[in-house]
Amino acid sequence: MANQGSNAIIPKARGMYAKRISSAEYEELMRRRTVPEVAAILKKHPYFADSLATLSPTDPHREQIEELLGMDIFYKYEALVHYDYSEESFADYFIIECEVREILRVLRMLSVGVAGRYIRTLPPFLEGQLRFDLFQLAETRSFDDVLTALRNTPYQRVLRPQWILDPLLKDYPAAEAAMIRYYYKAVFELADKHLTGRELQSVKDLFLQEAEIYNINVILRAKVFFGAAFTGEQIRHLLLPYTYRVGKRRQEELINARGLDALFAVYRQSGLEKLAGPTSPDEFDATSGRVLYHHAQRLLHRSASPSATVAAFVFFAKRERDNVINVVEGVRYGLTPEKIRALLRY
């Protein structure tokens, strides 16, 4: 993003960020007793007023909320890159992210036997924006069909080795890991191609931190929720080849910990509290999400780089979406404000 028009991206992103839901407004949302009450407040909020205009006022479902908030992020992204007149830029990474997300949604549904359901949740605002036909992808009923729908794209090459080994997609986590590895590789290649100096480093730091958090979450979830079901080698096969603050040696200590007591001890000794604050493994997802949120906030406020600003704003917007969904679901299931607050990332 080196053209003159791209300089407008920074004030535009900061202006959209300024309309965000405040901490006090989140507190008000958490005190609501019904989801329609929460929806009514959100529909009037300046940050979401346009995107949530069609949200059902009487029976807003999670799927509808997620679709509308996903659309909100995409349209805000489009509003930013509209000012960039170059044919190719680092901001293209977000299109790759959208592609990977939709492919993984289809594969996940295939793996649990609900292949035809994707058409009901297909995001129509992405049609024509991606390197494959979303509606053709929605018609797939097998792993082989997916590869056909993805022909002439990098994703066919990424998934084909997994299809050869596992044509019935019994090992969805392995396919997911292959796709996410491709995504981060593409992000860093785009960054190296289009960015330099401090701009390059600030963007890489953001994505390296996210990749590291992803790895730690994989390890902790496998150990906490599945016990001995995953071997150390199986866990390693699911990880991304990146570190940020927690090195390979610390990752290995977590992978090799036997039993939850040993895992918790390694966690406390591993320096993870520098990443996520004083927390336990089962709270790591929420607390590490807050770390990313604040990293993106700082980058959004301080960066003089349009590319870094786009990346920071998209990070922020995704966390805002997650926060809203957590509030809605918390109210739906009658959680106290204290329990809902523990799930939020701000």
Side-chain angles (χ1 to χ4, degrees):
M1 289 186 181
N3 58 74
Q4 185 176 2
S6 66
N7 292 328
I9 288 173
I10 296 174
K12 177 72 173 179
R14 290 173 179 169
M16 290 193 293
Y17 170 81
K19 296 180 180 179
R20 72 193 184 280
I21 301 176
S22 68
S23 298
E25 288 169 331
Y26 270 119
E27 291 295 323
E28 180 184 0
L29 289 171
M30 288 184 281
R31 290 194 295 270
R32 299 302 94 190
R33 295 190 176 184
T34 69
V35 173
E37 289 179 27
V38 174
I41 295 173
L42 291 173
K43 283 165 68 74
K44 295 178 182 178
H45 196 279
Y47 187 82
F48 291 118
D50 293 335
S51 58
L52 295 182
T54 60
L55 183 64
S56 169
T58 57
D59 188 24
H61 294 288
R62 177 175 182 143
E63 285 186 352
Q64 183 192 21
I65 294 171
E66 287 185 335
E67 178 185 339
L68 292 175
L69 294 182
M71 180 178 68
D72 178 76
I73 295 171
F74 188 81
Y75 285 159
K76 284 182 168 66
Y77 161 82
E78 277 198 324
L80 293 178
V81 299
H82 169 75
Y83 293 98
D84 178 29
Y85 307 138
S86 56
E87 292 185 3
E88 187 185 55
S89 74
F90 171 74
D92 295 341
Y93 88 89
F94 185 59
I95 299 299
I96 299 174
E97 179 180 328
C98 293
E99 292 174 337
V100 168
R101 183 186 64 240
E102 296 311 309
I103 294 168
L104 287 177
R105 288 177 65 198
V106 169
L107 292 178
R108 191 179 304 115
M109 292 177 184
L110 281 175
S111 71
V112 297
V114 290
R117 189 182 176 193
Y118 177 72
I119 191 67
R120 294 164 46 192
T121 59
L122 180 153
F125 59 89
L126 288 179
E127 179 57 24
Q129 304 289 338
L130 311 182
R131 288 175 287 180
F132 50 82
D133 188 324
L134 266 182
F135 287 97
Q136 183 179 357
L137 186 66
E139 293 173 353
T140 58
R141 295 296 181 271
S142 69
F143 201 173
D144 186 55
D145 288 345
V146 171
L147 290 187
T148 300
L150 298 176
R151 63 186 179 277
N152 302 322
T153 74
Y155 306 112
Q156 186 183 58
R157 296 192 295 274
V158 171
L159 290 171
R160 186 172 179 79
Q162 187 62 32
W163 171 78
I164 292 172
L165 293 172
D166 181 24
L168 299 180
L169 197 60
K170 294 181 179 180
D171 188 3
Y172 167 77
E176 179 183 53
M179 289 290 290
I180 294 177
R181 279 194 292 270
Y182 167 80
Y183 165 68
Y184 279 98
K185 182 174 182 290
V187 166
F188 292 125
E189 287 177 349
L190 280 171
D192 287 333
K193 181 178 180 179
H194 294 287
L195 310 178
T196 59
R198 293 177 62 183
E199 177 184 33
L200 173 63
Q201 193 57 55
S202 63
V203 167
K204 277 191 168 182
D205 284 348
L206 187 62
F207 284 93
L208 283 171
Q209 187 168 18
E210 183 185 49
E212 179 166 85
I213 287 172
Y214 172 87
N215 281 342
I216 301 302
N217 265 317
V218 167
I219 297 170
L220 295 180
R221 287 177 181 275
K223 306 288 282 189
V224 171
F225 297 113
F226 298 98
F230 281 89
T231 66
E233 190 57 35
Q234 287 173 318
I235 294 174
R236 292 183 194 96
H237 185 63
L238 300 176
L239 301 182
L240 303 171
Y242 307 107
T243 59
Y244 183 64
R245 292 181 181 173
V246 180
K248 291 289 186 182
R249 183 173 67 86
R250 294 300 191 187
Q251 283 189 12
E252 282 297 309
E253 290 175 356
L254 289 169
I255 291 171
N256 295 326
R258 296 186 177 182
L260 294 184
D261 289 343
L263 177 70
F264 290 2
V266 171
Y267 181 89
R268 288 191 293 271
Q269 297 165 7
S270 67
L272 282 167
E273 291 189 353
K274 294 179 181 178
L275 176 64
T279 184
S280 62
D282 57 339
E283 298 170 328
F284 180 79
D285 186 41
T287 53
S288 59
R290 294 185 197 115
V291 171
L292 279 177
Y293 184 96
H294 292 302
H295 189 141
Q297 277 185 319
R298 290 193 298 272
L299 190 55
L300 186 60
H301 283 307
R302 300 174 185 175
S303 178
S305 157
S307 292
T309 300
V310 170
F313 182 81
V314 170
F315 263 82
F316 158 76
K318 290 189 293 185
R319 299 302 173 271
E320 197 79 338
R321 173 198 60 199
D322 295 343
N323 285 340
V324 168
I325 291 172
N326 282 329
V327 169
V328 169
E329 293 302 285
V331 170
R332 186 188 306 279
Y333 293 106
L335 299 185
T336 64
E338 290 74 17
K339 290 185 178 179
I340 299 174
R341 193 179 302 114
L343 301 173
L344 303 188
R345 303 170 181 183
Y346 64 79

mmCIF file with all atom_site columns, all heavy atoms in Angstrom, residues 244-255:
data_model
loop_
_atom_site.group_PDB
_atom_site.id
_atom_site.type_symbol
_atom_site.label_atom_id
_atom_site.label_alt_id
_atom_site.label_comp_id
_atom_site.label_asym_id
_atom_site.label_entity_id
_atom_site.label_seq_id
_atom_site.pdbx_PDB_ins_code
_atom_site.Cartn_x
_atom_site.Cartn_y
_atom_site.Cartn_z
_atom_site.occupancy
_atom_site.B_iso_or_equiv
_atom_site.pdbx_formal_charge
_atom_site.auth_seq_id
_atom_site.auth_comp_id
_atom_site.auth_asym_id
_atom_site.auth_atom_id
_atom_site.pdbx_PDB_model_num
ATOM 1   N N   . TYR A 1 244 ? 6.730  -17.142 19.173 1.00 0.00 ? 244 TYR A N   1
ATOM 2   C CA  . TYR A 1 244 ? 6.837  -15.696 19.401 1.00 0.00 ? 244 TYR A CA  1
ATOM 3   C C   . TYR A 1 244 ? 7.566  -15.454 20.723 1.00 0.00 ? 244 TYR A C   1
ATOM 4   O O   . TYR A 1 244 ? 8.727  -15.103 20.736 1.00 0.00 ? 244 TYR A O   1
ATOM 5   C CB  . TYR A 1 244 ? 5.450  -15.061 19.395 1.00 0.00 ? 244 TYR A CB  1
ATOM 6   C CG  . TYR A 1 244 ? 5.456  -13.559 19.540 1.00 0.00 ? 244 TYR A CG  1
ATOM 7   C CD1 . TYR A 1 244 ? 6.037  -12.749 18.572 1.00 0.00 ? 244 TYR A CD1 1
ATOM 8   C CD2 . TYR A 1 244 ? 4.876  -12.941 20.642 1.00 0.00 ? 244 TYR A CD2 1
ATOM 9   C CE1 . TYR A 1 244 ? 6.056  -11.368 18.687 1.00 0.00 ? 244 TYR A CE1 1
ATOM 10  C CE2 . TYR A 1 244 ? 4.877  -11.556 20.766 1.00 0.00 ? 244 TYR A CE2 1
ATOM 11  C CZ  . TYR A 1 244 ? 5.460  -10.777 19.801 1.00 0.00 ? 244 TYR A CZ  1
ATOM 12  O OH  . TYR A 1 244 ? 5.472  -9.404  19.930 1.00 0.00 ? 244 TYR A OH  1
ATOM 13  N N   . ARG A 1 245 ? 6.890  -15.706 21.816 1.00 0.00 ? 245 ARG A N   1
ATOM 14  C CA  . ARG A 1 245 ? 7.537  -15.565 23.122 1.00 0.00 ? 245 ARG A CA  1
ATOM 15  C C   . ARG A 1 245 ? 7.808  -16.911 23.785 1.00 0.00 ? 245 ARG A C   1
ATOM 16  O O   . ARG A 1 245 ? 8.703  -17.031 24.601 1.00 0.00 ? 245 ARG A O   1
ATOM 17  C CB  . ARG A 1 245 ? 6.669  -14.719 24.053 1.00 0.00 ? 245 ARG A CB  1
ATOM 18  C CG  . ARG A 1 245 ? 6.556  -13.262 23.647 1.00 0.00 ? 245 ARG A CG  1
ATOM 19  C CD  . ARG A 1 245 ? 5.711  -12.505 24.646 1.00 0.00 ? 245 ARG A CD  1
ATOM 20  N NE  . ARG A 1 245 ? 5.565  -11.107 24.285 1.00 0.00 ? 245 ARG A NE  1
ATOM 21  C CZ  . ARG A 1 245 ? 4.771  -10.247 24.921 1.00 0.00 ? 245 ARG A CZ  1
ATOM 22  N NH1 . ARG A 1 245 ? 4.043  -10.663 25.949 1.00 0.00 ? 245 ARG A NH1 1
ATOM 23  N NH2 . ARG A 1 245 ? 4.683  -8.994  24.534 1.00 0.00 ? 245 ARG A NH2 1
ATOM 24  N N   . VAL A 1 246 ? 7.005  -17.884 23.470 1.00 0.00 ? 246 VAL A N   1
ATOM 25  C CA  . VAL A 1 246 ? 7.142  -19.207 24.076 1.00 0.00 ? 246 VAL A CA  1
ATOM 26  C C   . VAL A 1 246 ? 7.840  -20.102 23.059 1.00 0.00 ? 246 VAL A C   1
ATOM 27  O O   . VAL A 1 246 ? 7.282  -20.448 22.034 1.00 0.00 ? 246 VAL A O   1
ATOM 28  C CB  . VAL A 1 246 ? 5.761  -19.801 24.434 1.00 0.00 ? 246 VAL A CB  1
ATOM 29  C CG1 . VAL A 1 246 ? 5.927  -21.176 25.065 1.00 0.00 ? 246 VAL A CG1 1
ATOM 30  C CG2 . VAL A 1 246 ? 5.018  -18.864 25.378 1.00 0.00 ? 246 VAL A CG2 1
ATOM 31  N N   . GLY A 1 247 ? 9.082  -20.475 23.347 1.00 0.00 ? 247 GLY A N   1
ATOM 32  C CA  . GLY A 1 247 ? 9.878  -21.204 22.380 1.00 0.00 ? 247 GLY A CA  1
ATOM 33  C C   . GLY A 1 247 ? 9.499  -22.665 22.246 1.00 0.00 ? 247 GLY A C   1
ATOM 34  O O   . GLY A 1 247 ? 8.625  -23.186 22.950 1.00 0.00 ? 247 GLY A O   1
ATOM 35  N N   . LYS A 1 248 ? 10.215 -23.350 21.343 1.00 0.00 ? 248 LYS A N   1
ATOM 36  C CA  . LYS A 1 248 ? 9.960  -24.765 21.092 1.00 0.00 ? 248 LYS A CA  1
ATOM 37  C C   . LYS A 1 248 ? 10.176 -25.617 22.342 1.00 0.00 ? 248 LYS A C   1
ATOM 38  O O   . LYS A 1 248 ? 9.449  -26.584 22.584 1.00 0.00 ? 248 LYS A O   1
ATOM 39  C CB  . LYS A 1 248 ? 10.879 -25.256 19.973 1.00 0.00 ? 248 LYS A CB  1
ATOM 40  C CG  . LYS A 1 248 ? 10.555 -24.697 18.596 1.00 0.00 ? 248 LYS A CG  1
ATOM 41  C CD  . LYS A 1 248 ? 9.258  -25.294 18.061 1.00 0.00 ? 248 LYS A CD  1
ATOM 42  C CE  . LYS A 1 248 ? 9.014  -24.850 16.630 1.00 0.00 ? 248 LYS A CE  1
ATOM 43  N NZ  . LYS A 1 248 ? 7.721  -25.378 16.111 1.00 0.00 ? 248 LYS A NZ  1
ATOM 44  N N   . ARG A 1 249 ? 11.173 -25.267 23.130 1.00 0.00 ? 249 ARG A N   1
ATOM 45  C CA  . ARG A 1 249 ? 11.452 -26.069 24.323 1.00 0.00 ? 249 ARG A CA  1
ATOM 46  C C   . ARG A 1 249 ? 10.277 -26.025 25.297 1.00 0.00 ? 249 ARG A C   1
ATOM 47  O O   . ARG A 1 249 ? 9.882  -27.046 25.859 1.00 0.00 ? 249 ARG A O   1
ATOM 48  C CB  . ARG A 1 249 ? 12.726 -25.559 25.014 1.00 0.00 ? 249 ARG A CB  1
ATOM 49  C CG  . ARG A 1 249 ? 13.137 -26.392 26.236 1.00 0.00 ? 249 ARG A CG  1
ATOM 50  C CD  . ARG A 1 249 ? 14.491 -25.938 26.747 1.00 0.00 ? 249 ARG A CD  1
ATOM 51  N NE  . ARG A 1 249 ? 14.447 -24.591 27.284 1.00 0.00 ? 249 ARG A NE  1
ATOM 52  C CZ  . ARG A 1 249 ? 14.098 -24.311 28.551 1.00 0.00 ? 249 ARG A CZ  1
ATOM 53  N NH1 . ARG A 1 249 ? 13.744 -25.280 29.381 1.00 0.00 ? 249 ARG A NH1 1
ATOM 54  N NH2 . ARG A 1 249 ? 14.096 -23.063 28.977 1.00 0.00 ? 249 ARG A NH2 1
ATOM 55  N N   . ARG A 1 250 ? 9.695  -24.856 25.469 1.00 0.00 ? 250 ARG A N   1
ATOM 56  C CA  . ARG A 1 250 ? 8.535  -24.744 26.356 1.00 0.00 ? 250 ARG A CA  1
ATOM 57  C C   . ARG A 1 250 ? 7.335  -25.493 25.794 1.00 0.00 ? 250 ARG A C   1
ATOM 58  O O   . ARG A 1 250 ? 6.577  -26.132 26.523 1.00 0.00 ? 250 ARG A O   1
ATOM 59  C CB  . ARG A 1 250 ? 8.181  -23.266 26.557 1.00 0.00 ? 250 ARG A CB  1
ATOM 60  C CG  . ARG A 1 250 ? 9.228  -22.469 27.301 1.00 0.00 ? 250 ARG A CG  1
ATOM 61  C CD  . ARG A 1 250 ? 9.486  -23.006 28.693 1.00 0.00 ? 250 ARG A CD  1
ATOM 62  N NE  . ARG A 1 250 ? 10.297 -22.095 29.481 1.00 0.00 ? 250 ARG A NE  1
ATOM 63  C CZ  . ARG A 1 250 ? 10.788 -22.367 30.672 1.00 0.00 ? 250 ARG A CZ  1
ATOM 64  N NH1 . ARG A 1 250 ? 10.552 -23.559 31.216 1.00 0.00 ? 250 ARG A NH1 1
ATOM 65  N NH2 . ARG A 1 250 ? 11.514 -21.484 31.325 1.00 0.00 ? 250 ARG A NH2 1
ATOM 66  N N   . GLN A 1 251 ? 7.155  -25.415 24.487 1.00 0.00 ? 251 GLN A N   1
ATOM 67  C CA  . GLN A 1 251 ? 6.070  -26.170 23.872 1.00 0.00 ? 251 GLN A CA  1
ATOM 68  C C   . GLN A 1 251 ? 6.243  -27.663 24.130 1.00 0.00 ? 251 GLN A C   1
ATOM 69  O O   . GLN A 1 251 ? 5.282  -28.367 24.452 1.00 0.00 ? 251 GLN A O   1
ATOM 70  C CB  . GLN A 1 251 ? 6.032  -25.914 22.364 1.00 0.00 ? 251 GLN A CB  1
ATOM 71  C CG  . GLN A 1 251 ? 5.440  -24.583 21.958 1.00 0.00 ? 251 GLN A CG  1
ATOM 72  C CD  . GLN A 1 251 ? 5.226  -24.487 20.454 1.00 0.00 ? 251 GLN A CD  1
ATOM 73  O OE1 . GLN A 1 251 ? 5.321  -25.478 19.740 1.00 0.00 ? 251 GLN A OE1 1
ATOM 74  N NE2 . GLN A 1 251 ? 4.935  -23.290 19.980 1.00 0.00 ? 251 GLN A NE2 1
ATOM 75  N N   . GLU A 1 252 ? 7.475  -28.137 23.999 1.00 0.00 ? 252 GLU A N   1
ATOM 76  C CA  . GLU A 1 252 ? 7.739  -29.558 24.219 1.00 0.00 ? 252 GLU A CA  1
ATOM 77  C C   . GLU A 1 252 ? 7.449  -29.959 25.657 1.00 0.00 ? 252 GLU A C   1
ATOM 78  O O   . GLU A 1 252 ? 6.947  -31.066 25.926 1.00 0.00 ? 252 GLU A O   1
ATOM 79  C CB  . GLU A 1 252 ? 9.190  -29.886 23.860 1.00 0.00 ? 252 GLU A CB  1
ATOM 80  C CG  . GLU A 1 252 ? 9.440  -30.006 22.374 1.00 0.00 ? 252 GLU A CG  1
ATOM 81  C CD  . GLU A 1 252 ? 8.647  -31.153 21.759 1.00 0.00 ? 252 GLU A CD  1
ATOM 82  O OE1 . GLU A 1 252 ? 8.702  -32.278 22.280 1.00 0.00 ? 252 GLU A OE1 1
ATOM 83  O OE2 . GLU A 1 252 ? 7.937  -30.902 20.766 1.00 0.00 ? 252 GLU A OE2 1
ATOM 84  N N   . GLU A 1 253 ? 7.763  -29.097 26.598 1.00 0.00 ? 253 GLU A N   1
ATOM 85  C CA  . GLU A 1 253 ? 7.477  -29.391 28.008 1.00 0.00 ? 253 GLU A CA  1
ATOM 86  C C   . GLU A 1 253 ? 5.976  -29.557 28.222 1.00 0.00 ? 253 GLU A C   1
ATOM 87  O O   . GLU A 1 253 ? 5.537  -30.444 28.968 1.00 0.00 ? 253 GLU A O   1
ATOM 88  C CB  . GLU A 1 253 ? 8.031  -28.290 28.903 1.00 0.00 ? 253 GLU A CB  1
ATOM 89  C CG  . GLU A 1 253 ? 9.549  -28.266 28.965 1.00 0.00 ? 253 GLU A CG  1
ATOM 90  C CD  . GLU A 1 253 ? 10.074 -27.086 29.763 1.00 0.00 ? 253 GLU A CD  1
ATOM 91  O OE1 . GLU A 1 253 ? 9.249  -26.241 30.199 1.00 0.00 ? 253 GLU A OE1 1
ATOM 92  O OE2 . GLU A 1 253 ? 11.300 -27.008 29.958 1.00 0.00 ? 253 GLU A OE2 1
ATOM 93  N N   . LEU A 1 254 ? 5.186  -28.705 27.596 1.00 0.00 ? 254 LEU A N   1
ATOM 94  C CA  . LEU A 1 254 ? 3.727  -28.824 27.707 1.00 0.00 ? 254 LEU A CA  1
ATOM 95  C C   . LEU A 1 254 ? 3.242  -30.109 27.048 1.00 0.00 ? 254 LEU A C   1
ATOM 96  O O   . LEU A 1 254 ? 2.396  -30.826 27.603 1.00 0.00 ? 254 LEU A O   1
ATOM 97  C CB  . LEU A 1 254 ? 3.050  -27.615 27.052 1.00 0.00 ? 254 LEU A CB  1
ATOM 98  C CG  . LEU A 1 254 ? 3.170  -26.277 27.783 1.00 0.00 ? 254 LEU A CG  1
ATOM 99  C CD1 . LEU A 1 254 ? 2.696  -25.152 26.880 1.00 0.00 ? 254 LEU A CD1 1
ATOM 100 C CD2 . LEU A 1 254 ? 2.374  -26.287 29.080 1.00 0.00 ? 254 LEU A CD2 1
ATOM 101 N N   . ILE A 1 255 ? 3.763  -30.409 25.862 1.00 0.00 ? 255 ILE A N   1
ATOM 102 C CA  . ILE A 1 255 ? 3.343  -31.616 25.144 1.00 0.00 ? 255 ILE A CA  1
ATOM 103 C C   . ILE A 1 255 ? 3.680  -32.874 25.942 1.00 0.00 ? 255 ILE A C   1
ATOM 104 O O   . ILE A 1 255 ? 2.889  -33.828 25.990 1.00 0.00 ? 255 ILE A O   1
ATOM 105 C CB  . ILE A 1 255 ? 4.015  -31.664 23.751 1.00 0.00 ? 255 ILE A CB  1
ATOM 106 C CG1 . ILE A 1 255 ? 3.452  -30.559 22.853 1.00 0.00 ? 255 ILE A CG1 1
ATOM 107 C CG2 . ILE A 1 255 ? 3.808  -33.032 23.096 1.00 0.00 ? 255 ILE A CG2 1
ATOM 108 C CD1 . ILE A 1 255 ? 4.205  -30.388 21.544 1.00 0.00 ? 255 ILE A CD1 1
#
